[in-house]
Amino acid sequence: MTAICYPVTRPVRTTEPTFEQEPLTHSEARRQCGIGEGVTYHDPDLRSWVIAARRTVEKDTGLVGYTGSFTWKQTYFPDGDWWELPDIRPVTSITSITYLDGDGTSQTWGASNYALHTSGVNQYIALAYGQTWPTLRGDPNGITVTLVAGHATVLAIPEDFKDAVKLNLRIRWLLFQENAQEAERQQEGYDRMVRNLQRGSYP
């Protein structure tokens, strides 16, 4: 029988922060774009760009800004005793793990069967002592892990994450101003920031 390879998935944010919980305020966004404090004409665009910039940094780095709920779809449980959570940190809790059993019935796996470990760069779910992963029917994306990740306050969001959001916002402003050459130069700096954030260790 030919093995079926399912695509690698990543956690998807299901609760978005309010604008007050974004890493940049309107005033900070204006300063980053060189817009005077009393100039509010661009505020609707700046609001959209701040949100888009934060989402881009989260996607590019796997680091989450303000706390939120995420879902992660998988087809199979791992072969070993632990299950690494990809492209997301810091994970603070596992809300639930649901799956389709051998009969195709949706089940919620009890929290006493596993534990969340957050001591490394990448967090992982480990089986509790003496436990095994549930039996599945093998439906594509039949497992749903619901989790909470991110920082509890705006002040707790790392400064280098905020700096990456600022630079991504700056690039969007330059493209809006049709200054593609400078935007391309700034993109190189953004890419370096992303690599540093990917390598960093955050609680």
Side-chain angles (χ1 to χ4, degrees):
M1 179 182 294
T2 303
I4 299 175
C5 296
Y6 292 98
V8 175
T9 60
R10 64 188 304 164
V12 176
R13 187 188 268 274
T14 56
T15 58
E16 289 286 330
T18 65
F19 191 77
E20 289 70 27
Q21 295 164 340
E22 294 290 350
L24 302 182
T25 65
H26 270 308
S27 293
E28 290 170 326
R30 291 190 201 102
R31 287 197 297 271
Q32 183 64 14
C33 296
I35 302 172
E37 182 61 31
V39 179
T40 60
Y41 177 78
H42 293 292
D43 276 4
D45 287 329
L46 288 174
R47 182 186 182 95
S48 298
W49 293 335
V50 166
I51 295 170
R54 185 263 305 163
R55 288 174 176 169
T56 297
V57 174
E58 286 184 334
K59 179 177 181 294
D60 289 345
T61 66
L63 184 64
V64 179
Y66 194 82
T67 188
S69 183
F70 293 75
T71 58
W72 183 42
K73 298 284 188 178
Q74 286 285 279
T75 299
Y76 296 111
F77 287 110
D79 293 329
D81 292 340
W82 56 278
W83 201 11
E84 186 173 310
L85 297 168
D87 298 326
I88 186 166
R89 49 194 174 115
V91 177
T92 57
S93 66
I94 303 297
T95 305
S96 66
I97 298 177
T98 62
Y99 63 96
L100 297 178
D101 65 15
D103 296 324
T105 302
S106 179
Q107 303 284 355
T108 299
W109 200 34
S112 62
N113 295 309
Y114 59 88
L116 171 67
H117 293 263
T118 61
S119 57
V121 172
N122 292 325
Q123 288 82 61
Y124 63 94
I125 299 169
L127 286 172
Y129 181 77
Q131 298 298 322
T132 58
W133 302 108
T135 300
L136 304 170
R137 192 171 67 175
D139 298 71
N141 295 327
I143 304 168
T144 301
V145 180
T146 304
L147 54 91
V148 177
H151 300 82
T153 66
V154 174
L155 288 175
I157 299 173
E159 288 300 320
D160 44 1
F161 179 93
K162 294 179 182 179
D163 288 343
V165 174
K166 288 178 182 178
L167 189 50
N168 191 277
L169 171 64
R170 176 68 177 170
I171 292 168
R172 293 171 189 274
W173 172 254
L174 289 169
L175 291 173
F176 176 73
Q177 296 292 307
E178 299 184 352
N179 190 345
Q181 184 175 358
E182 179 61 17
E184 184 176 353
R185 190 181 72 82
Q186 296 288 341
Q187 182 68 40
E188 295 176 2
Y190 172 76
D191 292 340
R192 286 193 297 271
M193 284 186 175
V194 166
R195 289 192 294 270
N196 289 335
L197 285 165
Q198 288 171 335
R199 291 192 295 263
S201 178
Y202 295 91

